[in-house]
Amino acid sequence: LIPQLTDHLVENGVSGIYICGTTGEGPSLTMEERQAVNAAYVRANQGRMRAIVHVGHTCLADSQALATQAAFIGADAISAIAPYYFKPDSVATLIAYFRTVAACAPELPFYYYHIPALTGLVVDPVTFLEQASDAIPNLRGLKFTDTDLSLFNACQDAGNGRFDVLFGRDEMLLSSL
């Protein structure tokens, strides 16, 4: 059904797709399923929408493999949630983790997927953006999935507005605009 769904999205004016994110239940799929879904969406998309592949995983090696695959299949960007079982103990640890993931697809923009309600990780995303910009050369921004709109605005202002901040709390989209 992926080709039909992709066509439907394009026909209805959708300009980007976030493949295997939390709504798409990516974290619940096996590696083989995720890789198959990623490849099927990018193939069906044919460059008609911006294709961001979610590569977050609780296993660093699997996250790296997903990032490598995303670059190989022609994704436009990658994104990852923080590990949510053994959580990073600081922004510096989170940056070090993501640096190794983003380095597997250095030509693709990387987005931190900030979703504390699911990861349980409470880090300041503004601090992350400011400190990670030198450590992760392909960092382009973050997917902000939280209810704190003042923090969302602060993320948009971080680095003098140079980061791309995607809003991910669907039920609050109107408020975020």
Side-chain angles (χ1 to χ4, degrees), residues 35-53:
Q35 290 173 325
V37 169
N38 294 342
Y41 267 112
V42 171
R43 185 172 46 255
N45 183 38
Q46 300 175 348
R48 298 177 291 167
M49 295 181 287
R50 185 173 183 212
I52 301 173
V53 174

Side-chain angles (χ1 to χ4, degrees), residues 126-149:
V126 174
T127 302
F128 172 84
L129 288 171
E130 291 170 349
Q131 293 181 7
S133 63
D134 291 332
I136 304 172
N138 51 338
L139 176 66
R140 292 300 176 269
L142 61 84
K143 180 179 180 189
F144 185 92
T145 304
D146 199 349
T147 58
D148 186 340
L149 293 179

